[in-house]
Each structure stands twice: as structure tokens, then as C-alpha cells.
Amino acid sequence: MAVKDYIRQRFFPHMWCAGCGHGIILNALLRAVDNLGLNKKNIVMVSGIGCSARISGYVDFHSMHTIHGRALAYATGVKMSKPELNVIVPMGDGDALAIGGNHFIHAARRNIEMTAIVMNNRIYGMTGGQFSPLSGYGSMGTTAPYGNIDHNFDVVDLSVAAGATFVARTTTYHVHELSDLIEQAIVHKGFSVLEVLSQCPTHFGRRNKVGDAVDMLKVYKKRTVRIGSEKKQTDPDLIERGVFVKKDLPEYCREYDQLILKARQNR
Amino acid sequence: MNKNIKFIQGNEVCVEAALYAGLEFFAGYPITPSTEIAEQMASRLPRIGGKFLQMEDEISSLCAITGASLTGHKAMTATSGPGFSLMQEALGYAVMAEIPCVIVNVMRGGPSTGLPTHAGQGDVNQARYGTHGDHAIIALTASNHQDIFRMTVEAFNFAETYRTPVILLLDEATGHLREKIEIPEPGNIPLVKRLRTSVKSGIDYHPYLPREDGRLPMSDFGDEHRYNVTGLYHDMWGFPSDNPKIVYGLIRHLVDKIENNSHQIARFRKHHVKDADVLLISYGASARSALHLVENRRSRGEKLGLLELQTLWPFPVDIVREACNNVKFTVVVEMNMGQVLQQVRLAADMPEKIFLANRIDGELITPTDIRNILRVIQGKGV
């Protein structure tokens, strides 16, 4: 199918700013779904609140645009009650790891099969440029006018520690890699986390004087390397891309099926 | 056929009734005095192929059942005061997105941590006004186990009929009380099934376009029709909209579908109300003491009656007004500082003839407490 067959044209034009990275993620996601040959009626996209969350309206899947931070909690109810559905949960950095941080680590701990995509633009865009838990020390935001003194989470480290069984990272510059990693994350039988560095030229770019969208994409090109690259040894500040964790552990819905069998035997 | 009679806690009755109503999905978080509901669900649901989830908090519990409901399953959560406070935003979402589900709040003494193991009825207003923005809500309650069963089933029926979350306000006293309950035979209480759309695949389905009777047929997530669900104001497809006409139409629909059906939703019991010259109005555990007093004084020839409310929201204004008009005065019996009293005064033609008999110290209000207040009102002294 063509990519346009996966979108709701009625909903366009989208509301993202010119130069925003989120459209690239939408594009890569639809290509991944197409490559996998998934049936649209078997996909549920659940999102929270923020710029990133609007992605669920644009796709022609079952879609749920919920409340701030709780997308994974709604998604858990959807997946548990109908495990045959593919559940994709795109979230912003604040959505996933500030207000939604608790749900994030608990969904990872349960290893429930769903695909969490952290669309990390390091800022609260929709409310106009406040710092997020992924902005990083020293960054500027409307609520950090003298420079941010909050340290950031590392999404990969956090996800691994919380028990996610598939953890990967890439950027909106590396579009083929992005699409490929989304595919891998969807196929993975367990909780998968994909962090995507996504540029916000309007708020992060402007306030931190890192240039326009193209400049920001160039940074992703220059300042990221594949996992295991030798460059990282000489330049430790480089950000690694690729699959950090991929392991086969019992998935929550399948565990619950076993529990049902046990409960029925004990009756 | 042997009757199915049990001697169990009110919380357990609620579980029996939910399963009778066709519950398939429960998510919750432990909190006194509602925990027995979660414990029983953890044991019972998997045996029938249902799902029990212990979530990381009450917020995610309500979110999870809302998600489960969209896949076509009857879903419920149970909590108490502090947990109910945490649920308020997700409650508003279920109201806005019109997703059927049942929220049980076994009330304890508040505010804050308050009195976890004592009875209270302080969440009547929170059930109505807790979430932000104008909206209507259905909240039910019951004073004895047979009625807890009935009202739990009704909660599921109203949730499906009106495509809305329904709140069941129990309290610590009835929740932990053990008494006899006869579990009705299957079919004795009618069940409302999920109304699903008859629109065929490939034809435009409007998830948020009410039929002429006001009901909105649903389509399960996973079925052919793919649509958008949002907490934003939305059009008939579920797409966000800030068009003033659409916004106005939706808020009117959300309020009217419940307020205009308040007579259909009103559940109450009248005990000796017909010839009463003094009326008690009560609900939940307080109504047990009120009823005891009424029976006791009737045997002495005093014309005391009790209107026991089971639907608290939408408030049954006409029923209350009529009952108050036929008596010398009315006493509202409750375990809070007058939350239902306020509504009765608004409903009554002569609010100056409405009085309060309450306890707010965590102890169950007794028939003697009520009688003492009656004597004061009647100028007899205590």
C-alpha cells in the first residue's frame, strides 16, 4: 500500500511546526507498518498529550488520544483485554518520562508487548518551550531562563534498568535506520522502547541557539555514532545509536494466559 | 432449585454482582477499605477467563479499564477516597470520550488520609464535581447487601445505556459488614449489553453521532471500524474540533443524555413515606440506622417515614421535593457535613423545614443519634 493509505487525510494538514522532526517519525512509522504488512484494524495507537501525541489522530488505525502521561496505562488496558492487537504508544519526552515516568518504568517491568516510541525533542513544545526531564543540564527553556540545573534521564539506561526487553535509539536524520528500528520494535515480543531524537527548531533550537531544522539534523549526523563505534572512545560525548538490548523474556499477556490455566485447574 | 445464599462482606457482594453483570476486566490498586474487591477479583476473574491487573496507582487503574472497555469488555475499578481523588482526571476523560466503565468508591473518612478504617460519606460531592469542567455524572449507592448487588448491576447497565462512567458510592460500614445475600438467578436482573453499530465495514461510521434515542452505538477496537478517541472536544468522527457549534453541541449532549433521563436513572426506596408527617432522607450505611429508627417509632405509633436514596446523581429533585412537601419537616441523615442536605434544600419548596442529622467523627450514626436530633427539632429536649 502507499503511505497515504495509512493516514486520515481528513485530519490534515497536521499541526506540527515547519521543520519539526515528528513528521519524519510518522513517515518512518507508516513505512515500517507497510513493510511488516500489518492490517490496519489490528493496530491500536495510544498517545498522551503534547505535540507528539497528535500523531495518533493522523494514522488510520484505532486511535486513542488520552491524557497527559498516561498513554501506557490506557495501552495496558487495551493490550491486556485484546492481546492479539499491535499496540504502538508514541510519547513526548515530558509525556513519557516526567508526568508518565511511573507508568513507563512499570510497563517496562511487566514486559507487556507494546512499542513505546519516545519522540525526544528535549522540550515541552505545545506549551511553548519549557525544559523537560530530557532537556539536559545547561539547556535553556522558558522555565530555565538562567540555564537548566536539572540533569536529564538517559532513556536507554532507564529503560534497561526498568526491564524493557528491547531498547534502541536513533534520530530523525537516520530515516532508514529509524524505520528499520520501528519494525524491530513492533515485531519484538515484549516491551520495546525506541528513543528517537527529534528536532524542535521552534522552541529548543531557537532558545538554545542551535540553528534551524537543517542545522539540528546535521548535529544528529555529526554527534551520534553506531553502537561500538571507535569514535566513541576518543569522543565520549557522542551519542550511540542502535539496538542496546534485545532479549527474550516471558511476555505479560502470555504469562497471564498461563495464570488463567492455573486458576482454572485450581477451581 | 436451591437458593444461592451467602453470608459475605458488602465488598464481596459487589464482586459477585459485577461478575453477574458480565465483568471481564478489573484493574485496581490496594486501598482500605476497598481492597477486598481487588483481592476477590484477582481470584475470581482468571477462573472465567477474565483479566485482573494490579496497576502502579489509581490513575493508571482507571486508565487501564477505560482502554479495556474500548475493546468491548465490561470493565471496573474499585478504590477509596484518596484513590478516587487521583482518578478525577481520567474520570473526566471517560466522560468526554463516552466510554462505559464502573468506578467503585468505598468511602472512608476524609479529607486526605483521614480515617482509612472508619465509615464516611464525604465523597458525594467529589463524585459529582471532582473532575474539572461542566459535565453530568451517574452515582449510585446502597444500604444493604441485596441492594448493593442490585445497584452494582444497575451501574453496569447505566454505563452501557448512557455510554458513560458510573460511580458506585459504597462506604466502609456496608463494605465490611457481613450479612445474608441471596444471589439472584441468572436472568433475574436484566443486563444491558454493549450496543454495537450495525454500520457495515467500508461505510463511514460515526462513533460520536447519537441516534434519535440519544444512544451511541460503539465499535470495538480491533473490529473493522477505525476511529479516533480523544479528550478534546470532537466531532462525530472523534476528530478534535474547536468549532463553537460542535463544542456547544457536545457539552449539551454530555449533560442532557444524563440530566434529561434523571427519572429513568432515579432509584430509591420509600419506607412508610405515604402517611408520614416527619420524613427522614438517607442513603448507604446511614439509611440502616434511619430505617431502624423508623421501624422502631412506627411500632409506637409515630408517623415517621424514610426516603432512601440509591441514585445520588443526577439528584432525584422531583422525588425529593414531592416527599418533602407532604410532611411537617424533613431530616437528612448522613455521615458528612451536609452534602445531600444541600441538594435536598435546593430541591425543596420550603428549605427552612429541612434539617440535618449527621456524624462526622468516623463513627456510624446510630438510631439514637437521629432520635436525639429529632427531639431537639420537635422542642422536646434530649
Side-chain angles (χ1 to χ4, degrees):
Chain A
M1 287 206 286
V3 163
K4 73 170 174 48
D5 295 329
Y6 292 98
I7 60 172
R8 291 173 173 143
Q9 295 193 40
R10 193 178 356 220
F11 218 14
F12 280 72
H14 64 67
M15 47 70 72
W16 293 317
C17 304
C20 174
H22 291 357
I24 299 173
I25 300 174
L26 172 61
N27 187 327
L29 175 95
L30 298 180
R31 285 173 199 280
V33 167
D34 190 40
N35 263 347
L36 291 170
L38 300 179
N39 189 326
K40 292 193 281 186
K41 82 179 178 90
N42 294 331
I43 306 174
V44 180
M45 185 180 278
V46 185
S47 65
I49 292 294
C51 298
S52 62
R54 292 305 184 97
I55 194 172
S56 63
Y58 303 136
V59 293
D60 189 18
F61 311 141
H62 304 282
S63 61
M64 205 177 177
H65 174 233
T66 67
I67 56 179
H68 198 26
R70 322 294 174 199
L72 284 168
Y74 285 96
T76 299
V78 170
K79 181 67 182 177
M80 273 294 276
S81 58
K82 234 180 207 179
E84 64 268 32
L85 295 172
N86 290 294
V87 178
I88 303 172
V89 189
M91 293 170 287
D93 35 309
D95 201 27
L97 292 165
I99 188 167
N102 200 32
H103 310 305
F104 188 87
I105 56 175
H106 285 277
R109 172 179 66 80
R110 287 186 192 102
N111 193 31
I112 185 164
E113 185 183 339
M114 56 178 69
T115 306
I117 302 174
V118 181
M119 301 161 73
N120 178 12
N121 58 13
R122 301 176 66 191
I123 202 102
Y124 287 88
M126 192 163 274
T127 45
Q130 299 74 38
F131 72 89
S132 89
L134 299 186
S135 293
Y137 188 86
S139 64
M140 304 298 284
T142 58
T143 47
Y146 310 110
N148 189 12
I149 59 166
D150 280 35
H151 295 277
N152 61 298
F153 280 130
D154 181 316
V155 181
V156 168
D157 289 349
L158 180 71
S159 306
V160 173
T165 50
F166 179 95
V167 180
R169 179 195 287 136
T170 186
T171 83
T172 47
Y173 176 79
H174 304 87
V175 287
H176 295 291
E177 184 178 276
L178 172 58
S179 194
D180 173 56
L181 288 175
I182 294 174
E183 263 185 63
Q184 289 191 47
I186 291 174
V187 169
H188 178 71
K189 304 283 179 216
F191 189 74
S192 27
V193 178
L194 173 62
E195 180 190 13
V196 187
L197 305 182
S198 175
Q199 74 279 9
C200 173
T202 303
H203 294 295
F204 191 88
R206 197 156 50 97
R207 277 176 222 294
N208 288 281
K209 308 211 182 328
V210 287
D212 63 12
V214 176
D215 295 329
M216 293 180 83
L217 284 166
K218 281 180 183 162
V219 171
Y220 292 156
K221 183 187 176 189
K222 285 184 196 148
R223 299 302 301 161
T224 67
V225 285
R226 280 187 184 267
I227 298 172
S229 162
E230 284 176 13
K231 278 190 205 161
K232 172 90 178 166
Q233 279 154 21
T234 50
D235 187 355
D237 289 342
L238 289 173
I239 298 167
E240 288 181 302
R241 307 186 323 270
V243 179
F244 293 82
V245 167
K246 190 177 181 180
K247 54 186 174 186
D248 199 16
L249 284 176
E251 191 275 331
Y252 198 73
C253 297
R254 290 172 185 83
E255 287 281 292
Y256 204 90
D257 288 341
Q258 295 301 313
L259 186 151
I260 287 175
L261 290 178
K262 210 188 277 180
R264 284 185 160 152
Q265 279 161 6
N266 290 347
R267 183 147 53 164
Chain B
M1 202 177 193
N2 284 340
K3 285 179 175 176
N4 186 1
I5 292 175
K6 290 176 186 283
F7 186 75
I8 52 178
Q9 287 189 358
N11 283 344
E12 294 172 278
V13 173
C14 181
V15 172
E16 295 289 344
L19 296 172
Y20 182 97
L23 179 82
E24 292 170 297
F25 192 96
F26 180 96
Y29 186 84
I31 185 167
T32 305
S34 78
T35 309
E36 294 82 7
I37 298 178
E39 288 174 335
Q40 289 282 311
M41 289 297 183
S43 161
R44 299 284 295 277
L45 271 172
R47 285 191 246 161
I48 56 164
K51 303 280 170 73
F52 163 86
L53 259 180
Q54 182 167 313
M55 293 299 287
E56 52 272 21
D57 56 27
E58 288 88 348
I59 303 172
S60 49
S61 299
L62 180 48
C63 297
I65 69 161
T66 309
S69 180
L70 279 176
T71 67
H73 298 89
K74 287 191 179 176
M76 170 176 139
T77 184
T79 188
S80 185
F84 190 54
S85 296
L86 284 176
M87 288 179 181
Q88 293 303 325
E89 188 192 5
L91 173 63
Y93 181 82
V95 167
M96 185 62 138
E98 302 189 71
I99 303 169
C101 57
V102 173
I103 301 149
V104 183
N105 174 6
V106 186
M107 291 184 283
R108 65 193 219 187
S112 189
T113 313
L115 289 165
T117 59
H118 291 247
Q121 294 180 314
D123 300 348
V124 175
N125 280 343
Q126 197 191 5
R128 174 66 187 85
Y129 300 108
T131 198
H132 60 278
D134 283 316
H135 66 286
I137 201 87
I138 299 175
L140 309 176
T141 183
S143 68
N144 61 70
H145 285 17
Q146 211 62 49
D147 285 352
I148 289 176
F149 194 99
R150 179 91 202 186
M151 285 305 122
T152 305
V153 176
E154 293 271 27
F156 282 94
N157 284 349
F158 287 147
E160 294 297 335
T161 303
Y162 299 103
R163 248 188 96 164
T164 187
V166 174
I167 296 157
L168 185 61
L169 286 175
L170 304 179
D171 53 65
E172 190 278 336
T174 50
H176 283 160
L177 175 82
R178 286 182 190 276
E179 70 176 359
K180 192 181 97 170
I181 162 92
E182 184 187 333
I183 309 290
E185 290 296 319
N188 275 7
I189 306 179
L191 303 180
V192 177
K193 282 189 183 155
R194 176 71 51 95
L195 178 68
R196 291 188 171 85
T197 180
S198 57
V199 172
K200 301 252 181 326
S201 170
I203 297 170
D204 205 6
Y205 159 65
H206 303 115
Y208 292 102
L209 183 66
R211 302 195 306 196
E212 262 180 40
D213 64 359
R215 292 189 69 185
L216 295 89
M218 296 183 75
S219 177
D220 299 345
F221 271 20
D223 282 355
E224 288 297 331
H225 298 292
R226 299 173 303 277
Y227 64 97
N228 190 49
V229 177
T230 178
L232 288 164
Y233 275 95
H234 48 269
D235 63 17
M236 64 185 176
W237 290 282
F239 288 165
S241 172
D242 54 8
N243 176 326
K245 259 190 187 163
I246 287 173
V247 171
Y248 177 82
L250 180 52
I251 181 124
R252 282 261 47 121
H253 161 72
L254 292 176
V255 172
D256 291 349
K257 73 175 179 179
I258 289 170
E259 298 290 343
N260 289 352
N261 286 301
S262 61
H263 284 270
Q264 275 72 41
I265 300 167
R267 297 287 182 274
F268 53 88
R269 283 188 185 281
K270 286 180 171 175
H271 308 275
H272 305 290
V273 166
K274 219 171 213 175
D275 64 339
D277 45 40
V278 174
L279 179 72
L280 304 181
I281 294 180
S282 192
Y283 55 95
S286 305
R288 298 177 73 94
S289 296
L291 181 59
H292 184 91
L293 181 70
V294 167
E295 303 283 1
N296 185 281
R297 303 320 286 179
R298 277 278 164 179
S299 67
R300 295 169 198 211
E302 284 180 35
K303 288 189 172 174
L304 195 57
L306 167 66
L307 172 62
E308 182 192 339
L309 303 179
Q310 293 172 321
T311 298
L312 293 180
W313 304 111
F315 195 74
V317 174
D318 295 338
I319 289 140
V320 167
R321 179 191 293 122
E322 194 199 319
C324 292
N325 275 349
N326 294 330
V327 292
K328 287 182 193 154
F329 66 93
T330 300
V331 179
V332 178
V333 183
E334 55 185 337
M335 291 185 287
N336 57 46
M337 293 183 77
Q339 298 188 12
V340 163
L341 170 82
Q342 197 180 23
Q343 296 304 316
V344 174
R345 282 189 173 152
L346 283 172
D349 290 328
M350 286 177 285
E352 67 278 11
K353 290 188 174 177
I354 315 293
F355 302 92
L356 175 66
N358 69 343
R359 269 191 93 143
I360 49 170
D361 59 356
E363 294 298 311
L364 182 65
I365 191 163
T366 65
T368 309
D369 294 331
I370 306 167
R371 193 184 61 115
N372 288 344
I373 288 163
L374 275 177
R375 287 178 65 90
V376 170
I377 296 165
Q378 288 166 321
K380 293 177 184 169
V382 179

